[in-house]
Amino acid sequence: PAAAVEVAAAGTLGSATVTVQLDLSRVLAAAFAQSGYNVYVAARVPGRQIGRADAVFFVKTAASGWQLLSLPIAAYLQNAAESSANQRVVIEVVRDTNISALIGTEIYVGYGTSDTEMLQAQRYRGVYIIN
């Protein structure tokens, strides 16, 4: 739900910081209490911005940063349970970065027990468009 996500964007296109805060206590179902869940972060970059015919998806992991999407989709956060202390996840999309070449890029956040389950259950949504 929209109430579970807060986006903060600061700076200019030449030097921007964008963060997303996800309040997991507002999105998790009781079923996740036992099995844990993963949080996924992706960006859909318009092809024209990177010299390609089609849009390209990237994913962000906490350890490796942004990388091309591949299957299975790499998680930003793994195996957190509903009762864990980590109920508010702060995702730094970019920090002090020139994003002028990323106009039209949409940032997505999703969650699920796996990437397949997240996609099938449609537990993801666009949270920010760079413009």
Side-chain angles (χ1 to χ4, degrees), residues 85-107:
N86 196 5
Q87 291 294 299
R88 289 188 181 264
V89 178
V90 178
I91 301 157
E92 191 171 76
V93 176
V94 292
R95 171 163 296 286
D96 300 327
T97 302
N98 183 345
I99 59 172
S100 58
L102 299 175
I103 300 296
T105 296
E106 186 164 11
I107 308 300

Side-chain angles (χ1 to χ4, degrees), residues 32 38-42 57 59 69-74 108-125:
F32 287 103
N38 298 330
V39 174
Y40 300 90
V41 180
F57 276 92
V59 295
L69 182 142
S70 61
L71 297 176
I73 300 171
Y108 293 87
V109 174
Y111 70 96
T113 55
S114 71
D115 60 339
T116 304
E117 189 273 340
M118 173 198 63
L119 294 171
Q120 288 176 344
Q122 297 184 356
R123 290 193 183 103
Y124 60 89
R125 71 181 192 101

Side-chain angles (χ1 to χ4, degrees), residues 44-76:
R44 180 184 180 275
V45 181
R48 69 182 179 281
Q49 298 298 62
I50 53 177
R52 297 182 75 165
D54 297 319
V56 177
F57 276 92
F58 293 84
V59 295
K60 184 167 189 173
T61 64
S64 304
W66 289 102
Q67 54 194 292
L68 281 171
L69 182 142
S70 61
L71 297 176
I73 300 171
Y76 182 83

Side-chain angles (χ1 to χ4, degrees), residues 22-39:
L22 177 63
D23 184 349
L24 295 169
S25 67
R26 294 179 181 240
V27 298
L28 296 179
F32 287 103
Q34 298 299 320
S35 60
Y37 58 88
N38 298 330
V39 174

